[in-house]
Coordinates of all heavy atoms in Angstrom, one line a residue:
M40 N 15.6 24.8 -29.1 CA 16.6 23.8 -29.0 C 16.3 22.5 -29.7 O 17.2 21.9 -30.4 CB 16.9 23.5 -27.5 CG 17.8 24.5 -26.9 SD 18.1 24.2 -25.1 CE 19.1 22.8 -25.2
M41 N 15.0 22.1 -29.6 CA 14.6 20.9 -30.2 C 14.7 21.0 -31.8 O 15.2 20.0 -32.4 CB 13.2 20.5 -29.9 CG 12.8 19.1 -30.3 SD 11.2 18.7 -29.5 CE 10.9 17.2 -30.3
R42 N 14.3 22.1 -32.3 CA 14.4 22.3 -33.7 C 15.9 22.3 -34.2 O 16.2 21.7 -35.2 CB 13.8 23.7 -34.1 CG 13.6 23.8 -35.6 CD 12.8 25.0 -36.0 NE 13.9 25.9 -36.5 CZ 13.8 27.2 -36.5 NH1 12.7 27.8 -36.1 NH2 14.7 28.0 -37.0
T43 N 16.8 22.9 -33.4 CA 18.2 22.9 -33.7 C 18.7 21.5 -33.7 O 19.5 21.1 -34.6 CB 19.0 23.8 -32.7 OG1 18.4 25.1 -32.7 CG2 20.4 23.8 -33.0
G44 N 18.3 20.7 -32.8 CA 18.7 19.3 -32.7 C 18.2 18.5 -33.9 O 19.0 17.7 -34.4
L45 N 17.0 18.7 -34.3 CA 16.5 18.1 -35.5 C 17.2 18.5 -36.8 O 17.5 17.6 -37.6 CB 15.0 18.3 -35.7 CG 14.1 17.7 -34.6 CD1 12.6 18.1 -34.8 CD2 14.1 16.1 -34.8
I46 N 17.6 19.7 -36.9 CA 18.3 20.2 -38.0 C 19.7 19.6 -38.1 O 20.1 19.1 -39.1 CB 18.5 21.8 -38.0 CG1 17.1 22.4 -38.3 CG2 19.5 22.3 -39.0 CD1 17.0 23.9 -38.0
K47 N 20.3 19.5 -36.9 CA 21.7 18.9 -36.8 C 21.6 17.4 -37.2 O 22.4 16.9 -37.9 CB 22.2 19.0 -35.4 CG 23.6 19.4 -35.2 CD 24.3 20.0 -36.2 CE 25.5 20.7 -35.7 NZ 26.4 21.2 -36.8
H48 N 20.5 16.7 -36.7 CA 20.3 15.3 -37.0 C 20.2 15.1 -38.5 O 20.7 14.2 -39.1 CB 19.1 14.7 -36.2 CG 19.0 13.3 -36.3 ND1 18.2 12.7 -37.3 CD2 19.5 12.3 -35.6 CE1 18.3 11.4 -37.2 NE2 19.0 11.1 -36.2
T49 N 19.4 15.9 -39.1 CA 19.2 15.9 -40.6 C 20.5 16.1 -41.3 O 20.8 15.4 -42.3 CB 18.1 16.9 -41.0 OG1 16.9 16.7 -40.3 CG2 17.9 16.8 -42.5
E50 N 21.3 17.1 -40.9 CA 22.6 17.4 -41.5 C 23.5 16.1 -41.4 O 24.1 15.7 -42.3 CB 23.3 18.5 -40.8 CG 22.7 19.9 -41.1 CD 23.3 21.0 -40.4 OE1 24.3 20.8 -39.7 OE2 22.8 22.1 -40.5
Y51 N 23.5 15.5 -40.2 CA 24.3 14.3 -40.0 C 23.8 13.2 -40.9 O 24.6 12.4 -41.4 CB 24.3 13.9 -38.5 CG 25.1 14.8 -37.6 CD1 24.8 14.7 -36.2 CD2 26.1 15.7 -38.0 CE1 25.5 15.5 -35.3 CE2 26.8 16.5 -37.1 CZ 26.5 16.4 -35.8 OH 27.2 17.2 -34.9
M52 N 22.5 13.0 -41.0 CA 22.0 12.0 -41.9 C 22.4 12.2 -43.3 O 22.9 11.2 -44.0 CB 20.4 11.9 -41.8 CG 19.9 11.4 -40.5 SD 20.1 9.6 -40.4 CE 18.9 9.0 -41.6
E53 N 22.3 13.4 -43.8 CA 22.7 13.7 -45.2 C 24.2 13.4 -45.4 O 24.7 12.9 -46.4 CB 22.4 15.1 -45.6 CG 20.9 15.4 -45.7 CD 20.2 14.4 -46.6 OE1 20.7 14.2 -47.7 OE2 19.2 13.8 -46.2
F54 N 25.0 13.8 -44.4 CA 26.4 13.6 -44.5 C 26.7 12.1 -44.5 O 27.5 11.6 -45.4 CB 27.2 14.2 -43.3 CG 28.6 13.8 -43.2 CD1 29.5 14.2 -44.2 CD2 29.0 13.0 -42.2 CE1 30.8 13.8 -44.1 CE2 30.4 12.6 -42.1 CZ 31.3 13.0 -43.1
L55 N 26.1 11.3 -43.6 CA 26.4 9.9 -43.6 C 25.9 9.2 -44.9 O 26.6 8.3 -45.4 CB 25.7 9.2 -42.4 CG 26.2 9.6 -41.0 CD1 25.3 9.0 -40.0 CD2 27.6 9.0 -40.8
K56 N 24.9 9.7 -45.5 CA 24.4 9.1 -46.8 C 25.4 9.4 -47.9 O 25.5 8.7 -48.9 CB 23.1 9.7 -47.1 CG 21.9 9.1 -46.3 CD 20.6 9.8 -46.7 CE 19.5 9.3 -45.8 NZ 18.2 10.0 -46.1
S57 N 26.2 10.5 -47.7 CA 27.2 10.9 -48.8 C 28.5 10.1 -48.7 O 29.3 10.2 -49.5 CB 27.5 12.4 -48.7 OG 28.4 12.7 -47.6
V58 N 28.7 9.4 -47.6 CA 29.9 8.6 -47.3 C 29.7 7.2 -48.1 O 28.8 6.5 -47.7 CB 30.2 8.4 -45.8 CG1 31.4 7.5 -45.6 CG2 30.4 9.7 -45.1
P59 N 30.5 7.0 -49.1 CA 30.3 5.7 -49.9 C 30.2 4.5 -49.1 O 29.4 3.6 -49.4 CB 31.5 5.7 -50.8 CG 31.9 7.1 -50.9 CD 31.6 7.7 -49.6
T60 N 31.0 4.3 -48.0 CA 31.0 3.2 -47.2 C 29.6 2.9 -46.6 O 29.2 1.8 -46.3 CB 32.0 3.3 -46.0 OG1 33.3 3.6 -46.6 CG2 32.1 2.0 -45.2
F61 N 28.8 3.9 -46.3 CA 27.5 3.8 -45.6 C 26.3 3.8 -46.6 O 25.2 3.8 -46.1 CB 27.4 5.0 -44.6 CG 28.4 5.0 -43.6 CD1 29.0 6.2 -43.2 CD2 28.9 3.8 -43.0 CE1 30.0 6.2 -42.2 CE2 29.9 3.8 -42.0 CZ 30.4 5.0 -41.6
H62 N 26.5 3.8 -47.9 CA 25.5 3.9 -48.9 C 24.4 2.8 -48.7 O 23.2 3.0 -48.9 CB 26.0 3.8 -50.3 CG 26.4 5.1 -50.9 ND1 27.1 5.2 -52.0 CD2 26.1 6.3 -50.5 CE1 27.2 6.4 -52.4 NE2 26.7 7.2 -51.4
D63 N 24.8 1.6 -48.3 CA 23.9 0.5 -48.3 C 23.3 0.2 -46.9 O 22.5 -0.7 -46.7 CB 24.7 -0.8 -48.7 CG 25.1 -0.8 -50.2 OD1 24.4 -0.1 -51.0 OD2 26.1 -1.4 -50.5
L64 N 23.6 1.1 -46.0 CA 23.0 1.0 -44.6 C 21.6 1.4 -44.6 O 21.2 2.4 -45.3 CB 23.8 1.8 -43.6 CG 25.2 1.3 -43.2 CD1 25.8 2.2 -42.2 CD2 25.2 -0.1 -42.7
Q65 N 20.7 0.7 -43.8 CA 19.3 1.1 -43.7 C 19.2 2.4 -43.0 O 20.0 2.8 -42.2 CB 18.6 0.0 -43.0 CG 18.6 -1.3 -43.7 CD 17.9 -2.4 -42.8 OE1 17.5 -2.2 -41.7 NE2 17.9 -3.6 -43.4
E66 N 18.1 3.1 -43.3 CA 17.8 4.4 -42.7 C 17.8 4.4 -41.2 O 18.3 5.3 -40.6 CB 16.4 4.9 -43.2 CG 16.1 6.3 -43.0 CD 16.6 7.2 -44.1 OE1 17.1 6.8 -45.1 OE2 16.6 8.4 -43.8
D67 N 17.3 3.4 -40.6 CA 17.3 3.3 -39.1 C 18.7 3.2 -38.5 O 19.0 3.8 -37.5 CB 16.3 2.2 -38.6 CG 16.8 0.8 -39.0 OD1 17.2 0.7 -40.1 OD2 16.6 -0.1 -38.2
I68 N 19.5 2.5 -39.2 CA 20.9 2.3 -38.8 C 21.6 3.7 -38.9 O 22.3 4.2 -38.0 CB 21.7 1.3 -39.6 CG1 21.0 -0.1 -39.5 CG2 23.2 1.2 -39.2 CD1 21.2 -0.8 -38.2
L69 N 21.4 4.4 -40.1 CA 22.0 5.7 -40.3 C 21.5 6.7 -39.2 O 22.3 7.5 -38.7 CB 21.7 6.2 -41.6 CG 22.4 5.6 -42.8 CD1 21.9 6.1 -44.1 CD2 23.9 5.8 -42.7
S70 N 20.3 6.6 -38.8 CA 19.7 7.5 -37.8 C 20.3 7.2 -36.5 O 20.6 8.2 -35.7 CB 18.2 7.2 -37.7 OG 17.6 8.1 -36.8
K71 N 20.6 6.0 -36.1 CA 21.3 5.7 -34.8 C 22.7 6.2 -34.9 O 23.2 6.8 -33.8 CB 21.3 4.2 -34.6 CG 19.9 3.7 -34.2 CD 19.9 2.2 -34.1 CE 18.4 1.7 -33.8 NZ 18.3 0.2 -33.7
L72 N 23.4 6.1 -36.0 CA 24.7 6.6 -36.1 C 24.7 8.2 -36.0 O 25.5 8.7 -35.3 CB 25.3 6.3 -37.4 CG 25.9 4.9 -37.6 CD1 26.3 4.6 -39.1 CD2 27.0 4.6 -36.7
A73 N 23.7 8.8 -36.6 CA 23.6 10.3 -36.5 C 23.3 10.7 -35.1 O 23.8 11.8 -34.6 CB 22.5 10.8 -37.4
D74 N 22.6 9.9 -34.3 CA 22.3 10.2 -32.9 C 23.6 10.3 -32.1 O 23.6 11.0 -31.1 CB 21.3 9.2 -32.3 CG 19.9 9.4 -32.8 OD1 19.6 10.4 -33.4 OD2 19.1 8.4 -32.7
V75 N 24.5 9.4 -32.4 CA 25.7 9.4 -31.5 C 27.0 10.1 -32.1 O 28.0 10.2 -31.5 CB 26.2 7.9 -31.2 CG1 25.0 7.2 -30.5 CG2 26.5 7.1 -32.5
L76 N 26.8 10.8 -33.3 CA 27.9 11.5 -33.8 C 28.2 12.7 -32.9 O 27.4 13.4 -32.4 CB 27.6 12.0 -35.2 CG 27.7 11.1 -36.4 CD1 27.4 11.8 -37.7 CD2 29.1 10.5 -36.5
E77 N 29.5 13.0 -32.8 CA 30.0 14.1 -32.1 C 30.9 14.9 -33.0 O 31.9 14.3 -33.5 CB 30.7 13.8 -30.8 CG 29.9 13.2 -29.7 CD 30.7 12.9 -28.5 OE1 31.7 13.6 -28.2 OE2 30.3 12.0 -27.7
E78 N 30.6 16.2 -33.2 CA 31.5 17.0 -34.1 C 32.7 17.5 -33.3 O 32.5 18.1 -32.3 CB 30.6 18.1 -34.7 CG 31.2 18.8 -35.8 CD 30.2 19.7 -36.5 OE1 29.0 19.4 -36.5 OE2 30.6 20.7 -37.0
T79 N 33.8 17.3 -33.9 CA 35.1 17.8 -33.3 C 35.9 18.5 -34.4 O 35.9 18.1 -35.5 CB 35.9 16.7 -32.7 OG1 35.1 16.0 -31.8 CG2 37.1 17.2 -31.9
H80 N 36.5 19.6 -34.0 CA 37.3 20.4 -34.9 C 38.8 20.4 -34.5 O 39.1 20.5 -33.3 CB 36.8 21.9 -35.0 CG 35.4 22.0 -35.4 ND1 35.0 22.2 -36.7 CD2 34.2 21.9 -34.7 CE1 33.7 22.3 -36.8 NE2 33.2 22.1 -35.6
Y81 N 39.6 20.2 -35.5 CA 41.1 20.2 -35.3 C 41.7 21.3 -36.1 O 41.3 21.5 -37.2 CB 41.7 18.8 -35.7 CG 41.1 17.7 -34.8 CD1 40.0 17.0 -35.2 CD2 41.8 17.4 -33.6 CE1 39.5 16.0 -34.3 CE2 41.2 16.4 -32.8 CZ 40.1 15.6 -33.2 OH 39.6 14.7 -32.4
G82 N 42.8 21.9 -35.6 CA 43.5 22.9 -36.3 C 44.6 22.3 -37.1 O 45.0 21.1 -37.0
D83 N 45.2 23.2 -38.0 CA 46.3 22.7 -38.9 C 47.4 22.2 -38.0 O 47.8 22.9 -37.0 CB 46.8 23.9 -39.7 CG 45.9 24.2 -40.9 OD1 45.0 23.3 -41.2 OD2 46.0 25.2 -41.5
G84 N 48.0 21.1 -38.4 CA 49.1 20.5 -37.7 C 48.8 19.9 -36.3 O 49.7 19.3 -35.7
E85 N 47.6 19.8 -35.9 CA 47.2 19.2 -34.7 C 47.0 17.7 -34.9 O 46.5 17.3 -35.9 CB 45.9 19.8 -34.2 CG 45.5 19.5 -32.8 CD 44.2 20.2 -32.4 OE1 43.7 21.1 -33.1 OE2 43.7 19.8 -31.3
Y86 N 47.5 16.9 -33.9 CA 47.4 15.5 -34.0 C 46.0 15.1 -33.6 O 45.5 15.6 -32.5 CB 48.4 14.8 -33.1 CG 49.8 14.8 -33.7 CD1 50.7 15.8 -33.3 CD2 50.2 13.9 -34.7 CE1 52.0 15.8 -33.8 CE2 51.5 13.9 -35.2 CZ 52.4 14.9 -34.8 OH 53.6 14.9 -35.3
I87 N 45.4 14.1 -34.3 CA 44.1 13.6 -33.9 C 44.3 12.4 -33.0 O 43.6 12.3 -32.0 CB 43.2 13.3 -35.2 CG1 43.0 14.6 -36.0 CG2 41.9 12.6 -34.8 CD1 42.3 14.3 -37.3
I88 N 45.1 11.5 -33.5 CA 45.5 10.3 -32.7 C 46.9 10.0 -33.0 O 47.4 10.2 -34.1 CB 44.5 9.1 -33.0 CG1 44.7 8.0 -32.0 CG2 44.6 8.7 -34.4 CD1 43.7 6.9 -32.0
R89 N 47.6 9.5 -32.0 CA 49.0 9.2 -32.2 C 49.2 7.7 -32.2 O 48.5 6.9 -31.7 CB 49.8 9.7 -31.0 CG 49.9 11.2 -31.0 CD 51.2 11.6 -30.7 NE 51.3 13.1 -30.6 CZ 52.4 13.7 -31.0 NH1 53.3 13.1 -31.6 NH2 52.5 15.0 -30.9
Q90 N 50.3 7.3 -33.0 CA 50.7 5.9 -33.1 C 50.8 5.3 -31.7 O 51.5 5.8 -30.9 CB 51.9 5.8 -33.9 CG 52.4 4.4 -34.2 CD 53.6 4.4 -35.2 OE1 53.8 5.4 -35.9 NE2 54.5 3.5 -35.0
G91 N 50.2 4.1 -31.5 CA 50.3 3.4 -30.2 C 49.3 3.8 -29.2 O 49.1 3.1 -28.2
A92 N 48.5 4.9 -29.5 CA 47.4 5.3 -28.6 C 46.3 4.2 -28.6 O 46.1 3.6 -29.7 CB 47.0 6.7 -28.9
R93 N 45.5 4.2 -27.6 CA 44.4 3.3 -27.6 C 43.3 3.8 -28.6 O 42.9 5.0 -28.5 CB 43.8 3.3 -26.2 CG 42.7 2.3 -26.0 CD 42.3 2.1 -24.5 NE 41.0 1.6 -24.4 CZ 40.0 2.1 -23.9 NH1 40.1 3.3 -23.3 NH2 38.8 1.6 -23.8
G94 N 43.0 3.0 -29.5 CA 42.0 3.4 -30.6 C 40.6 3.1 -30.1 O 40.0 2.1 -30.4
D95 N 40.0 4.1 -29.4 CA 38.6 3.9 -29.0 C 37.6 4.8 -29.7 O 36.5 5.0 -29.2 CB 38.5 4.0 -27.5 CG 39.0 5.3 -26.9 OD1 39.4 6.2 -27.7 OD2 39.0 5.5 -25.7
T96 N 38.0 5.5 -30.7 CA 37.2 6.4 -31.4 C 37.2 6.2 -32.9 O 38.3 5.9 -33.5 CB 37.6 7.9 -31.2 OG1 37.7 8.1 -29.7 CG2 36.6 8.9 -31.7
F97 N 36.1 6.2 -33.6 CA 35.9 6.1 -35.0 C 35.7 7.5 -35.6 O 34.9 8.2 -35.1 CB 34.7 5.2 -35.3 CG 34.5 5.0 -36.8 CD1 35.3 4.2 -37.6 CD2 33.4 5.6 -37.4 CE1 35.1 4.0 -38.9 CE2 33.2 5.4 -38.8 CZ 34.0 4.6 -39.5
F98 N 36.5 7.9 -36.6 CA 36.5 9.2 -37.1 C 36.0 9.2 -38.6 O 36.4 8.3 -39.4 CB 37.9 9.9 -37.1 CG 38.5 10.1 -35.8 CD1 39.2 9.1 -35.2 CD2 38.2 11.2 -35.1 CE1 39.8 9.2 -33.9 CE2 38.8 11.4 -33.8 CZ 39.6 10.4 -33.2
I99 N 35.1 10.1 -38.9 CA 34.7 10.4 -40.3 C 35.0 11.8 -40.7 O 34.6 12.7 -39.9 CB 33.2 10.1 -40.6 CG1 32.8 8.8 -40.0 CG2 32.9 10.2 -42.0 CD1 31.3 8.5 -39.9
I100 N 35.7 12.1 -41.7 CA 36.1 13.4 -42.1 C 35.0 14.1 -42.8 O 34.5 13.6 -43.9 CB 37.4 13.4 -42.9 CG1 38.5 12.7 -42.1 CG2 37.8 14.8 -43.3 CD1 39.7 12.3 -43.0
S101 N 34.5 15.2 -42.3 CA 33.4 15.9 -43.0 C 33.9 17.1 -43.8 O 33.3 17.6 -44.7 CB 32.4 16.4 -42.0 OG 32.9 17.3 -41.1
K102 N 35.1 17.7 -43.4 CA 35.7 18.9 -44.0 C 37.1 18.8 -43.9 O 37.6 18.3 -42.9 CB 35.1 20.2 -43.5 CG 33.8 20.6 -43.9 CD 33.6 22.0 -43.5 CE 32.9 22.1 -42.2 NZ 32.4 23.4 -41.8
G103 N 37.9 19.3 -44.8 CA 39.3 19.4 -44.7 C 40.1 18.2 -45.1 O 39.5 17.3 -45.8
K104 N 41.3 18.1 -44.7 CA 42.2 17.1 -45.1 C 43.0 16.6 -43.9 O 43.3 17.4 -43.0 CB 43.2 17.6 -46.2 CG 44.1 16.6 -46.7 CD 45.0 17.2 -47.8 CE 46.2 17.8 -47.2 NZ 47.2 18.2 -48.2
V105 N 43.3 15.3 -43.8 CA 44.0 14.7 -42.7 C 45.2 14.0 -43.3 O 45.1 13.2 -44.3 CB 43.2 13.7 -41.9 CG1 44.0 12.9 -40.9 CG2 42.0 14.4 -41.2
N106 N 46.4 14.3 -42.8 CA 47.6 13.6 -43.2 C 47.8 12.4 -42.3 O 47.8 12.6 -41.1 CB 48.8 14.5 -43.2 CG 48.8 15.5 -44.3 OD1 48.2 15.3 -45.4 ND2 49.3 16.7 -44.1
V107 N 48.0 11.2 -42.9 CA 48.3 10.0 -42.1 C 49.9 9.8 -42.1 O 50.4 9.8 -43.2 CB 47.6 8.8 -42.7 CG1 47.9 7.5 -41.9 CG2 46.1 9.1 -42.8
T108 N 50.4 9.7 -41.0 CA 51.9 9.5 -40.8 C 52.1 8.3 -39.9 O 51.2 8.0 -39.1 CB 52.6 10.8 -40.3 OG1 52.1 11.0 -39.0 CG2 52.4 11.9 -41.2
R109 N 53.3 7.8 -39.9 CA 53.7 6.9 -38.9 C 55.1 7.3 -38.4 O 55.9 8.0 -39.1 CB 53.8 5.5 -39.4 CG 54.8 5.2 -40.4 CD 54.9 3.7 -40.7 NE 55.7 3.4 -41.9 CZ 57.0 3.5 -42.1 NH1 57.7 3.9 -41.0 NH2 57.6 3.3 -43.2
E110 N 55.4 7.0 -37.2 CA 56.7 7.4 -36.6 C 57.8 6.5 -37.2 O 57.8 5.3 -37.2 CB 56.6 7.3 -35.1 CG 57.8 7.9 -34.4 CD 57.7 7.8 -32.9 OE1 56.6 8.0 -32.4 OE2 58.7 7.5 -32.3
D111 N 58.9 7.2 -37.7 CA 60.1 6.5 -38.1 C 60.9 6.2 -36.9 O 61.4 7.0 -36.2 CB 60.8 7.4 -39.1 CG 62.0 6.7 -39.7 OD1 62.0 5.5 -39.8 OD2 63.0 7.4 -40.1
V112 N 61.1 4.9 -36.6 CA 61.7 4.4 -35.4 C 63.1 5.0 -35.2 O 63.4 5.5 -34.1 CB 61.7 2.9 -35.3 CG1 62.4 2.4 -34.0 CG2 60.2 2.4 -35.3
P113 N 64.0 4.9 -36.2 CA 65.4 5.4 -35.9 C 65.5 6.9 -35.5 O 66.2 7.2 -34.5 CB 66.1 5.2 -37.2 CG 65.4 4.2 -37.9 CD 63.9 4.3 -37.5
N114 N 64.8 7.7 -36.1 CA 64.9 9.2 -35.8 C 63.7 9.8 -35.2 O 63.7 11.0 -34.8 CB 65.4 10.0 -37.0 CG 64.3 10.0 -38.1 OD1 63.2 9.6 -37.9 ND2 64.8 10.3 -39.3
G115 N 62.6 9.1 -35.0 CA 61.4 9.6 -34.3 C 60.6 10.6 -35.2 O 59.7 11.2 -34.6
E116 N 61.0 10.8 -36.4 CA 60.3 11.8 -37.3 C 59.1 11.1 -37.9 O 59.1 9.9 -38.3 CB 61.2 12.3 -38.4 CG 62.3 13.2 -37.9 CD 61.8 14.4 -37.2 OE1 61.0 15.1 -37.9 OE2 62.3 14.8 -36.1
P117 N 58.0 11.9 -38.1 CA 56.8 11.3 -38.8 C 57.1 11.1 -40.3 O 57.7 11.9 -40.9 CB 55.7 12.3 -38.6 CG 56.4 13.6 -38.2 CD 57.8 13.2 -37.7
V118 N 56.7 9.9 -40.8 CA 56.8 9.6 -42.2 C 55.4 9.7 -42.9 O 54.5 9.0 -42.4 CB 57.4 8.2 -42.4 CG1 57.4 7.8 -43.9 CG2 58.8 8.1 -41.8
Y119 N 55.3 10.5 -43.9 CA 54.0 10.7 -44.6 C 53.6 9.4 -45.3 O 54.3 8.8 -46.0 CB 54.1 11.9 -45.6 CG 52.8 12.0 -46.4 CD1 51.8 12.7 -45.9 CD2 52.8 11.5 -47.7 CE1 50.6 12.9 -46.7 CE2 51.6 11.7 -48.5 CZ 50.6 12.4 -48.0 OH 49.4 12.5 -48.7
L120 N 52.3 9.0 -45.0 CA 51.8 7.8 -45.7 C 50.7 8.1 -46.8 O 50.8 7.7 -47.9 CB 51.1 6.8 -44.7 CG 52.1 6.3 -43.6 CD1 51.3 5.4 -42.7 CD2 53.2 5.5 -44.3
R121 N 49.8 9.0 -46.4 CA 48.7 9.4 -47.4 C 47.9 10.5 -46.8 O 48.0 10.8 -45.6 CB 47.9 8.2 -47.8 CG 47.1 7.6 -46.7 CD 46.3 6.4 -47.2 NE 45.7 5.7 -46.1 CZ 44.4 5.3 -46.1 NH1 43.7 5.4 -47.1 NH2 43.9 4.7 -45.0
S122 N 47.0 11.0 -47.6 CA 46.0 12.0 -47.2 C 44.6 11.5 -47.2 O 44.3 10.7 -48.1 CB 46.1 13.3 -48.1 OG 47.2 14.0 -47.8
L123 N 43.8 11.9 -46.3 CA 42.4 11.5 -46.3 C 41.6 12.8 -46.4 O 42.0 13.9 -45.9 CB 42.0 10.8 -45.0 CG 42.8 9.5 -44.7 CD1 42.4 9.0 -43.3 CD2 42.5 8.5 -45.8
G124 N 40.4 12.8 -47.0 CA 39.5 13.9 -47.2 C 38.1 13.6 -46.8 O 37.8 12.5 -46.3
K125 N 37.2 14.5 -47.2 CA 35.8 14.4 -46.9 C 35.2 13.0 -47.3 O 35.5 12.5 -48.4 CB 35.0 15.5 -47.7 CG 33.5 15.4 -47.4 CD 32.7 16.5 -48.0 CE 31.2 16.3 -47.7 NZ 30.4 17.4 -48.2
G126 N 34.6 12.4 -46.3 CA 34.0 11.1 -46.6 C 34.9 9.9 -46.2 O 34.4 8.8 -46.1
D127 N 36.2 10.2 -46.1 CA 37.1 9.1 -45.6 C 37.0 8.9 -44.1 O 36.5 9.8 -43.4 CB 38.6 9.5 -46.0 CG 38.8 9.5 -47.5 OD1 38.2 8.7 -48.2 OD2 39.7 10.3 -47.9
W128 N 37.4 7.8 -43.7 CA 37.3 7.5 -42.2 C 38.5 6.7 -41.8 O 39.2 6.1 -42.6 CB 36.0 6.7 -42.0 CG 35.7 5.6 -42.9 CD1 35.0 5.7 -44.1 CD2 36.2 4.3 -42.9 NE1 35.0 4.5 -44.7 CE2 35.7 3.6 -44.0 CE3 37.0 3.6 -42.0 CZ2 36.0 2.3 -44.3 CZ3 37.3 2.2 -42.3 CH2 36.8 1.6 -43.4
F129 N 38.7 6.6 -40.4 CA 39.7 5.9 -39.9 C 39.4 5.6 -38.4 O 38.4 6.1 -37.9 CB 41.1 6.6 -40.0 CG 41.2 7.9 -39.3 CD1 41.6 8.1 -38.0 CD2 40.7 9.1 -39.9 CE1 41.7 9.3 -37.4 CE2 40.7 10.3 -39.3 CZ 41.2 10.4 -38.1
G130 N 40.1 4.7 -37.8 CA 39.8 4.3 -36.4 C 38.8 3.1 -36.4 O 38.1 3.0 -35.4
E131 N 38.7 2.4 -37.4 CA 37.7 1.3 -37.5 C 37.8 0.2 -36.4 O 36.9 -0.5 -36.1 CB 37.6 0.7 -38.9 CG 38.9 0.0 -39.3 CD 39.9 0.9 -39.9 OE1 39.8 2.1 -39.9 OE2 41.0 0.4 -40.4
K132 N 39.0 0.1 -35.8 CA 39.2 -0.9 -34.8 C 38.4 -0.5 -33.5 O 38.0 -1.4 -32.8 CB 40.7 -1.0 -34.4 CG 41.5 -1.7 -35.4 CD 42.9 -1.9 -35.0 CE 43.7 -2.6 -36.1 NZ 45.1 -2.9 -35.7
A133 N 38.0 0.7 -33.4 CA 37.1 1.2 -32.3 C 35.8 0.5 -32.5 O 35.1 0.3 -31.4 CB 37.0 2.7 -32.3
L134 N 35.3 0.2 -33.7 CA 34.0 -0.4 -33.9 C 34.0 -1.8 -33.4 O 32.9 -2.4 -33.2 CB 33.6 -0.3 -35.4 CG 33.5 1.1 -35.9 CD1 33.2 1.1 -37.4 CD2 32.5 2.0 -35.2
Q135 N 35.1 -2.5 -33.4 CA 35.1 -3.9 -33.0 C 34.7 -4.0 -31.5 O 34.2 -5.1 -31.1 CB 36.5 -4.5 -33.1 CG 36.9 -4.6 -34.6 CD 38.4 -5.0 -34.8 OE1 39.1 -5.1 -33.8 NE2 38.8 -5.2 -36.0
G136 N 34.9 -3.0 -30.7 CA 34.4 -3.1 -29.3 C 33.0 -2.8 -29.2 O 32.4 -2.9 -28.2

């Protein structure tokens, strides 16, 4: 189990180093980030976070694509804004706390 944990930590470290936003962070900071990362998988069409929800999580995309939408007030339909992919992140307001 310990070896598996170390392998996962190394994978997380390599992933964080590949994210342009984190290039300039020191190794010890990256290691602390890797320690607290939690991997979560979402299916096609599944919502990660909804508009107006409490933003208490910071997300970094490691695989796949995320569509960013906002709710159109008159008809309640989602309006496409942009796509995010590997290395992109969102939920930065969670870091302020």
